[in-house]
Amino acid sequence: MVTVITIISIAAAKEWNLHRMDINNAFSQADLYEEDYMALPQGFRRHGERKLVNDAKKTLQSQFKVKDLGELIYFLGIEVLRSHKGILLNQRKYALDLISEVGLSGSKPALTPLELNQKPTIVEYNAYVGRLGDPELVDITTYKKLNEKLLYLTITQPDISFAVQTLSQFM
């Protein structure tokens, strides 16, 4: 994901347009033994950008079964919004779907995703110190999946990173 964000950052800085294409079975059947590099065509100029993008798409379509998905709007559940100031990555829909999935749609927002002085513990520790009464988590798989989804959300929401890291300690 770091590579994708780096490419989007470069595109924003250079004011390049971003396009999506889906290449069916690209490299899935072949073993690659050499590194391939791409460079801008000789004589590239901004005014010819649209023609060069179209030429590149035609070249790919002549070699592979390709579906042109147009300008980049969504990528792996991340919305890509462009303005005159740059590019904004947003996971609003992903976050709302996650909130709905876990049944928290009616909850009120909090300033911090982790309450102060909360000390999550494991069952063995509770038994050792004599603390009883906390319900034991029965479905561990659901906890792990939720934690993974929250970890993916930290791509655009770094403010929840500490809470997600704390919850990850108890997997």
Side-chain angles (χ1 to χ4, degrees):
M1 201 59 183
V2 173
T3 304
V4 172
I5 292 173
T6 302
I7 290 171
I8 291 173
S9 300
I10 293 168
K14 302 222 178 234
E15 297 179 7
W16 291 342
N17 290 324
L18 295 167
H19 293 262
R20 279 188 330 155
M21 296 186 78
D22 184 19
I23 302 176
N24 293 340
N25 298 327
F27 305 114
S28 64
Q29 304 298 323
D31 293 327
L32 298 177
Y33 298 105
E34 63 215 32
E35 294 183 19
D36 289 332
Y37 297 95
M38 293 181 67
L40 290 174
Q42 200 171 20
F44 177 79
R45 299 283 183 268
R46 182 162 264 329
H47 61 81
E49 178 180 331
R50 188 177 308 257
K51 182 183 179 323
L52 287 172
V53 168
N54 289 335
D55 289 348
K57 287 180 180 182
K58 285 178 186 173
T59 301
L60 287 171
Q61 288 171 340
S62 71
Q63 299 294 319
F64 304 103
K65 185 178 177 185
V66 175
K67 184 192 291 184
D68 186 356
L69 302 173
E71 196 161 338
L72 182 63
I73 298 171
Y74 272 97
F75 181 76
L76 298 175
I78 300 172
E79 186 176 12
V80 180
L81 303 167
R82 175 159 265 193
S83 73
H84 65 282
K85 292 184 176 180
I87 296 176
L88 174 70
L89 301 180
N90 179 335
Q91 287 178 291
R92 185 182 191 314
K93 183 182 180 316
Y94 180 83
L96 291 173
D97 289 346
L98 184 56
I99 289 168
S100 178
E101 182 182 322
V102 296
L104 296 173
S105 297
S107 299
K108 294 180 182 177
L111 293 177
T112 178
L114 190 65
E115 291 182 30
L116 293 175
N117 300 322
Q118 283 287 79
K119 293 191 172 35
T121 57
I122 57 175
V123 174
E124 290 83 8
Y125 177 79
N126 285 349
Y128 180 75
V129 297
R131 185 171 23 167
L132 304 172
D134 285 343
E136 184 177 343
L137 184 62
V138 179
D139 186 10
I140 297 169
T141 307
T142 303
Y143 181 83
K144 287 181 178 181
K145 285 181 181 177
L146 176 60
N147 204 311
E148 290 167 0
K149 290 177 181 183
L150 288 170
L151 186 60
Y152 188 68
L153 188 59
T154 62
I155 293 170
T156 59
Q157 296 293 137
D159 56 320
I160 67 169
S161 294
F162 176 74
V164 174
Q165 181 265 337
T166 301
L167 294 174
S168 296
Q169 293 176 1
F170 297 94
M171 293 216 304

